[in-house]
PDB file of all heavy atoms in Angstrom:
ATOM      1  N   ALA A 190     109.532  91.041  96.242  1.00 97.00           N
ATOM      2  CA  ALA A 190     110.198  89.813  96.671  1.00 97.00           C
ATOM      3  C   ALA A 190     110.322  88.821  95.520  1.00 97.00           C
ATOM      4  O   ALA A 190     111.371  88.183  95.337  1.00 97.00           O
ATOM      5  CB  ALA A 190     109.439  89.191  97.841  1.00 97.00           C
ATOM      6  N   ASN A 191     109.279  88.685  94.709  1.00 97.00           N
ATOM      7  CA  ASN A 191     109.338  87.782  93.553  1.00 97.00           C
ATOM      8  C   ASN A 191     110.406  88.227  92.556  1.00 97.00           C
ATOM      9  O   ASN A 191     111.113  87.392  91.968  1.00 97.00           O
ATOM     10  CB  ASN A 191     107.972  87.717  92.870  1.00 97.00           C
ATOM     11  CG  ASN A 191     106.959  86.918  93.662  1.00 97.00           C
ATOM     12  OD1 ASN A 191     107.330  86.083  94.490  1.00 97.00           O
ATOM     13  ND2 ASN A 191     105.683  87.172  93.437  1.00 97.00           N
ATOM     14  N   HIS A 192     110.505  89.538  92.374  1.00 97.00           N
ATOM     15  CA  HIS A 192     111.536  90.049  91.465  1.00 97.00           C
ATOM     16  C   HIS A 192     112.933  89.715  91.994  1.00 97.00           C
ATOM     17  O   HIS A 192     113.790  89.240  91.237  1.00 97.00           O
ATOM     18  CB  HIS A 192     111.381  91.557  91.301  1.00 97.00           C
ATOM     19  CG  HIS A 192     112.465  92.198  90.490  1.00 97.00           C
ATOM     20  ND1 HIS A 192     112.560  92.048  89.126  1.00 97.00           N
ATOM     21  CD2 HIS A 192     113.536  92.967  90.853  1.00 97.00           C
ATOM     22  CE1 HIS A 192     113.623  92.701  88.675  1.00 97.00           C
ATOM     23  NE2 HIS A 192     114.225  93.270  89.708  1.00 97.00           N
ATOM     24  N   PHE A 193     113.160  89.951  93.273  1.00 97.00           N
ATOM     25  CA  PHE A 193     114.464  89.641  93.861  1.00 97.00           C
ATOM     26  C   PHE A 193     114.743  88.132  93.816  1.00 97.00           C
ATOM     27  O   PHE A 193     115.885  87.714  93.631  1.00 97.00           O
ATOM     28  CB  PHE A 193     114.535  90.155  95.293  1.00 97.00           C
ATOM     29  CG  PHE A 193     114.728  91.646  95.419  1.00 97.00           C
ATOM     30  CD1 PHE A 193     114.388  92.316  96.583  1.00 97.00           C
ATOM     31  CD2 PHE A 193     115.242  92.387  94.370  1.00 97.00           C
ATOM     32  CE1 PHE A 193     114.578  93.682  96.718  1.00 97.00           C
ATOM     33  CE2 PHE A 193     115.432  93.775  94.476  1.00 97.00           C
ATOM     34  CZ  PHE A 193     115.091  94.410  95.661  1.00 97.00           C
ATOM     35  N   HIS A 194     113.715  87.328  93.991  1.00 97.00           N
ATOM     36  CA  HIS A 194     113.874  85.868  93.906  1.00 97.00           C
ATOM     37  C   HIS A 194     114.423  85.453  92.541  1.00 97.00           C
ATOM     38  O   HIS A 194     115.229  84.517  92.434  1.00 97.00           O
ATOM     39  CB  HIS A 194     112.527  85.177  94.128  1.00 97.00           C
ATOM     40  CG  HIS A 194     112.273  84.770  95.535  1.00 97.00           C
ATOM     41  ND1 HIS A 194     113.087  83.906  96.230  1.00 97.00           N
ATOM     42  CD2 HIS A 194     111.273  85.113  96.393  1.00 97.00           C
ATOM     43  CE1 HIS A 194     112.612  83.738  97.444  1.00 97.00           C
ATOM     44  NE2 HIS A 194     111.512  84.453  97.576  1.00 97.00           N
ATOM     45  N   SER A 195     113.988  86.163  91.505  1.00 96.00           N
ATOM     46  CA  SER A 195     114.375  85.786  90.143  1.00 96.00           C
ATOM     47  C   SER A 195     115.776  86.242  89.774  1.00 96.00           C
ATOM     48  O   SER A 195     116.291  85.871  88.716  1.00 96.00           O
ATOM     49  CB  SER A 195     113.373  86.373  89.143  1.00 96.00           C
ATOM     50  OG  SER A 195     113.480  87.791  89.080  1.00 96.00           O
ATOM     51  N   CYS A 196     116.385  87.051  90.605  1.00 97.00           N
ATOM     52  CA  CYS A 196     117.717  87.592  90.316  1.00 97.00           C
ATOM     53  C   CYS A 196     118.819  86.654  90.794  1.00 97.00           C
ATOM     54  O   CYS A 196     118.647  85.918  91.778  1.00 97.00           O
ATOM     55  CB  CYS A 196     117.899  88.953  91.013  1.00 97.00           C
ATOM     56  SG  CYS A 196     116.843  90.278  90.399  1.00 97.00           S
ATOM     57  N   GLY A 197     119.947  86.722  90.130  1.00 97.00           N
ATOM     58  CA  GLY A 197     121.148  86.132  90.685  1.00 97.00           C
ATOM     59  C   GLY A 197     121.714  87.081  91.724  1.00 97.00           C
ATOM     60  O   GLY A 197     121.640  88.304  91.567  1.00 97.00           O
ATOM     61  N   ILE A 198     122.267  86.545  92.813  1.00 98.00           N
ATOM     62  CA  ILE A 198     122.773  87.383  93.903  1.00 98.00           C
ATOM     63  C   ILE A 198     124.287  87.209  94.001  1.00 98.00           C
ATOM     64  O   ILE A 198     124.780  86.098  94.209  1.00 98.00           O
ATOM     65  CB  ILE A 198     122.114  87.033  95.243  1.00 98.00           C
ATOM     66  CG1 ILE A 198     120.592  87.058  95.117  1.00 98.00           C
ATOM     67  CG2 ILE A 198     122.574  88.015  96.318  1.00 98.00           C
ATOM     68  CD1 ILE A 198     119.868  86.708  96.404  1.00 98.00           C
ATOM     69  N   VAL A 199     124.981  88.313  93.859  1.00 98.00           N
ATOM     70  CA  VAL A 199     126.443  88.323  93.938  1.00 98.00           C
ATOM     71  C   VAL A 199     126.857  88.916  95.274  1.00 98.00           C
ATOM     72  O   VAL A 199     126.396  90.000  95.648  1.00 98.00           O
ATOM     73  CB  VAL A 199     127.065  89.141  92.792  1.00 98.00           C
ATOM     74  CG1 VAL A 199     128.595  89.074  92.869  1.00 98.00           C
ATOM     75  CG2 VAL A 199     126.555  88.660  91.444  1.00 98.00           C
ATOM     76  N   LEU A 200     127.702  88.228  95.995  1.00 98.00           N
ATOM     77  CA  LEU A 200     128.275  88.740  97.239  1.00 98.00           C
ATOM     78  C   LEU A 200     129.657  89.300  96.924  1.00 98.00           C
ATOM     79  O   LEU A 200     130.576  88.546  96.592  1.00 98.00           O
ATOM     80  CB  LEU A 200     128.372  87.637  98.293  1.00 98.00           C
ATOM     81  CG  LEU A 200     129.110  87.990  99.593  1.00 98.00           C
ATOM     82  CD1 LEU A 200     128.417  89.146 100.306  1.00 98.00           C
ATOM     83  CD2 LEU A 200     129.210  86.772 100.503  1.00 98.00           C
ATOM     84  N   TRP A 201     129.779  90.607  97.010  1.00 98.00           N
ATOM     85  CA  TRP A 201     131.069  91.277  96.768  1.00 98.00           C
ATOM     86  C   TRP A 201     131.792  91.443  98.097  1.00 98.00           C
ATOM     87  O   TRP A 201     131.222  91.969  99.058  1.00 98.00           O
ATOM     88  CB  TRP A 201     130.848  92.653  96.134  1.00 98.00           C
ATOM     89  CG  TRP A 201     130.314  92.617  94.734  1.00 98.00           C
ATOM     90  CD1 TRP A 201     129.008  92.713  94.343  1.00 98.00           C
ATOM     91  CD2 TRP A 201     131.082  92.474  93.537  1.00 98.00           C
ATOM     92  NE1 TRP A 201     128.915  92.641  92.971  1.00 98.00           N
ATOM     93  CE2 TRP A 201     130.170  92.493  92.452  1.00 98.00           C
ATOM     94  CE3 TRP A 201     132.441  92.321  93.270  1.00 98.00           C
ATOM     95  CZ2 TRP A 201     130.578  92.377  91.126  1.00 98.00           C
ATOM     96  CZ3 TRP A 201     132.844  92.203  91.951  1.00 98.00           C
ATOM     97  CH2 TRP A 201     131.927  92.224  90.896  1.00 98.00           C
ATOM     98  N   GLN A 202     133.055  91.019  98.143  1.00 98.00           N
ATOM     99  CA  GLN A 202     133.880  91.132  99.343  1.00 98.00           C
ATOM    100  C   GLN A 202     135.029  92.100  99.071  1.00 98.00           C
ATOM    101  O   GLN A 202     135.766  91.941  98.097  1.00 98.00           O
ATOM    102  CB  GLN A 202     134.438  89.759  99.736  1.00 98.00           C
ATOM    103  CG  GLN A 202     133.377  88.729 100.091  1.00 98.00           C
ATOM    104  CD  GLN A 202     132.896  88.850 101.533  1.00 98.00           C
ATOM    105  OE1 GLN A 202     132.981  89.911 102.155  1.00 98.00           O
ATOM    106  NE2 GLN A 202     132.400  87.760 102.078  1.00 98.00           N
ATOM    107  N   PHE A 203     135.158  93.108  99.947  1.00 98.00           N
ATOM    108  CA  PHE A 203     136.192  94.128  99.797  1.00 98.00           C
ATOM    109  C   PHE A 203     137.240  93.939 100.890  1.00 98.00           C
ATOM    110  O   PHE A 203     136.895  93.772 102.067  1.00 98.00           O
ATOM    111  CB  PHE A 203     135.584  95.527  99.890  1.00 98.00           C
ATOM    112  CG  PHE A 203     134.587  95.834  98.804  1.00 98.00           C
ATOM    113  CD1 PHE A 203     133.263  95.421  98.923  1.00 98.00           C
ATOM    114  CD2 PHE A 203     134.968  96.517  97.657  1.00 98.00           C
ATOM    115  CE1 PHE A 203     132.337  95.690  97.924  1.00 98.00           C
ATOM    116  CE2 PHE A 203     134.059  96.793  96.650  1.00 98.00           C
ATOM    117  CZ  PHE A 203     132.735  96.368  96.786  1.00 98.00           C
ATOM    118  N   GLU A 204     138.512  93.981 100.513  1.00 95.00           N
ATOM    119  CA  GLU A 204     139.587  93.767 101.480  1.00 95.00           C
ATOM    120  C   GLU A 204     139.978  95.051 102.199  1.00 95.00           C
ATOM    121  O   GLU A 204     140.206  95.044 103.407  1.00 95.00           O
ATOM    122  CB  GLU A 204     140.810  93.178 100.772  1.00 95.00           C
ATOM    123  CG  GLU A 204     140.586  91.763 100.247  1.00 95.00           C
ATOM    124  CD  GLU A 204     141.845  91.193  99.623  1.00 95.00           C
ATOM    125  OE1 GLU A 204     142.892  91.884  99.648  1.00 95.00           O
ATOM    126  OE2 GLU A 204     141.793  90.053  99.112  1.00 95.00           O
ATOM    127  N   ARG A 205     140.073  96.162 101.471  1.00 92.00           N
ATOM    128  CA  ARG A 205     140.532  97.410 102.079  1.00 92.00           C
ATOM    129  C   ARG A 205     139.517  98.542 101.984  1.00 92.00           C
ATOM    130  O   ARG A 205     139.463  99.393 102.864  1.00 92.00           O
ATOM    131  CB  ARG A 205     141.846  97.853 101.438  1.00 92.00           C
ATOM    132  CG  ARG A 205     143.026  96.933 101.737  1.00 92.00           C
ATOM    133  CD  ARG A 205     144.318  97.483 101.175  1.00 92.00           C
ATOM    134  NE  ARG A 205     144.273  97.608  99.718  1.00 92.00           N
ATOM    135  CZ  ARG A 205     144.547  96.619  98.875  1.00 92.00           C
ATOM    136  NH1 ARG A 205     144.883  95.431  99.353  1.00 92.00           N
ATOM    137  NH2 ARG A 205     144.509  96.797  97.581  1.00 92.00           N
ATOM    138  N   LYS A 206     138.753  98.610 100.924  1.00 96.00           N
ATOM    139  CA  LYS A 206     137.812  99.699 100.738  1.00 96.00           C
ATOM    140  C   LYS A 206     136.614  99.553 101.679  1.00 96.00           C
ATOM    141  O   LYS A 206     136.079  98.457 101.864  1.00 96.00           O
ATOM    142  CB  LYS A 206     137.318  99.754  99.288  1.00 96.00           C
ATOM    143  CG  LYS A 206     138.426 100.081  98.295  1.00 96.00           C
ATOM    144  CD  LYS A 206     139.031 101.462  98.588  1.00 96.00           C
ATOM    145  CE  LYS A 206     140.149 101.816  97.626  1.00 96.00           C
ATOM    146  NZ  LYS A 206     140.732 103.146  97.911  1.00 96.00           N
ATOM    147  N   SER A 207     136.208 100.665 102.263  1.00 97.00           N
ATOM    148  CA  SER A 207     135.102 100.669 103.215  1.00 97.00           C
ATOM    149  C   SER A 207     133.803 101.109 102.553  1.00 97.00           C
ATOM    150  O   SER A 207     133.803 101.981 101.676  1.00 97.00           O
ATOM    151  CB  SER A 207     135.405 101.597 104.389  1.00 97.00           C
ATOM    152  OG  SER A 207     136.490 101.106 105.143  1.00 97.00           O
ATOM    153  N   LEU A 208     132.728 100.517 103.008  1.00 98.00           N
ATOM    154  CA  LEU A 208     131.399 100.875 102.513  1.00 98.00           C
ATOM    155  C   LEU A 208     130.615 101.584 103.604  1.00 98.00           C
ATOM    156  O   LEU A 208     130.847 101.381 104.801  1.00 98.00           O
ATOM    157  CB  LEU A 208     130.643  99.625 102.070  1.00 98.00           C
ATOM    158  CG  LEU A 208     131.297  98.781 100.971  1.00 98.00           C
ATOM    159  CD1 LEU A 208     130.429  97.573 100.660  1.00 98.00           C
ATOM    160  CD2 LEU A 208     131.553  99.604  99.711  1.00 98.00           C
ATOM    161  N   ILE A 209     129.680 102.396 103.185  1.00 98.00           N
ATOM    162  CA  ILE A 209     128.796 103.115 104.105  1.00 98.00           C
ATOM    163  C   ILE A 209     127.373 102.601 103.898  1.00 98.00           C
ATOM    164  O   ILE A 209     127.089 101.849 102.967  1.00 98.00           O
ATOM    165  CB  ILE A 209     128.837 104.631 103.848  1.00 98.00           C
ATOM    166  CG1 ILE A 209     128.284 104.953 102.437  1.00 98.00           C
ATOM    167  CG2 ILE A 209     130.254 105.170 104.005  1.00 98.00           C
ATOM    168  CD1 ILE A 209     128.073 106.431 102.182  1.00 98.00           C
ATOM    169  N   THR A 210     126.470 103.024 104.781  1.00 98.00           N
ATOM    170  CA  THR A 210     125.057 102.769 104.567  1.00 98.00           C
ATOM    171  C   THR A 210     124.292 104.044 104.892  1.00 98.00           C
ATOM    172  O   THR A 210     124.885 105.083 105.178  1.00 98.00           O
ATOM    173  CB  THR A 210     124.560 101.566 105.400  1.00 98.00           C
ATOM    174  OG1 THR A 210     123.252 101.217 104.970  1.00 98.00           O
ATOM    175  CG2 THR A 210     124.570 101.868 106.894  1.00 98.00           C
ATOM    176  N   GLY A 211     122.969 103.958 104.825  1.00 98.00           N
ATOM    177  CA  GLY A 211     122.167 105.154 105.060  1.00 98.00           C
ATOM    178  C   GLY A 211     120.716 104.800 105.329  1.00 98.00           C
ATOM    179  O   GLY A 211     120.367 103.637 105.541  1.00 98.00           O
ATOM    180  N   ASP A 212     119.864 105.829 105.294  1.00 97.00           N
ATOM    181  CA  ASP A 212     118.458 105.600 105.621  1.00 97.00           C
ATOM    182  C   ASP A 212     117.674 104.953 104.486  1.00 97.00           C
ATOM    183  O   ASP A 212     116.512 104.600 104.647  1.00 97.00           O
ATOM    184  CB  ASP A 212     117.782 106.904 106.066  1.00 97.00           C
ATOM    185  CG  ASP A 212     117.943 108.041 105.071  1.00 97.00           C
ATOM    186  OD1 ASP A 212     118.015 107.775 103.861  1.00 97.00           O
ATOM    187  OD2 ASP A 212     117.985 109.213 105.509  1.00 97.00           O
ATOM    188  N   HIS A 213     118.296 104.823 103.321  1.00 96.00           N
ATOM    189  CA  HIS A 213     117.669 104.122 102.186  1.00 96.00           C
ATOM    190  C   HIS A 213     118.754 103.270 101.542  1.00 96.00           C
ATOM    191  O   HIS A 213     119.272 103.596 100.475  1.00 96.00           O
ATOM    192  CB  HIS A 213     117.122 105.154 101.191  1.00 96.00           C
ATOM    193  CG  HIS A 213     116.201 104.590 100.159  1.00 96.00           C
ATOM    194  ND1 HIS A 213     116.346 103.328  99.633  1.00 96.00           N
ATOM    195  CD2 HIS A 213     115.123 105.110  99.543  1.00 96.00           C
ATOM    196  CE1 HIS A 213     115.405 103.107  98.741  1.00 96.00           C
ATOM    197  NE2 HIS A 213     114.642 104.175  98.669  1.00 96.00           N
ATOM    198  N   PRO A 214     119.124 102.139 102.175  1.00 97.00           N
ATOM    199  CA  PRO A 214     120.336 101.415 101.766  1.00 97.00           C
ATOM    200  C   PRO A 214     120.229 100.625 100.467  1.00 97.00           C
ATOM    201  O   PRO A 214     121.251 100.283  99.885  1.00 97.00           O
ATOM    202  CB  PRO A 214     120.594 100.476 102.949  1.00 97.00           C
ATOM    203  CG  PRO A 214     119.263 100.269 103.583  1.00 97.00           C
ATOM    204  CD  PRO A 214     118.534 101.575 103.410  1.00 97.00           C
ATOM    205  N   VAL A 215     119.022 100.308 100.001  1.00 97.00           N
ATOM    206  CA  VAL A 215     118.878  99.588  98.731  1.00 97.00           C
ATOM    207  C   VAL A 215     118.917 100.611  97.600  1.00 97.00           C
ATOM    208  O   VAL A 215     118.091 101.516  97.538  1.00 97.00           O
ATOM    209  CB  VAL A 215     117.556  98.797  98.670  1.00 97.00           C
ATOM    210  CG1 VAL A 215     117.439  98.063  97.334  1.00 97.00           C
ATOM    211  CG2 VAL A 215     117.466  97.803  99.824  1.00 97.00           C
TER     212      VAL A 215
END
Side-chain angles (χ1 to χ4, degrees):
N191 287 338
H192 175 73
F193 284 159
H194 266 301
S195 69
C196 294
I198 307 179
V199 183
L200 173 61
W201 292 95
Q202 298 277 24
F203 298 83
E204 293 183 3
R205 293 185 298 275
K206 295 299 179 180
S207 294
L208 301 179
I209 64 170
T210 191
D212 54 31
H213 193 326
V215 180

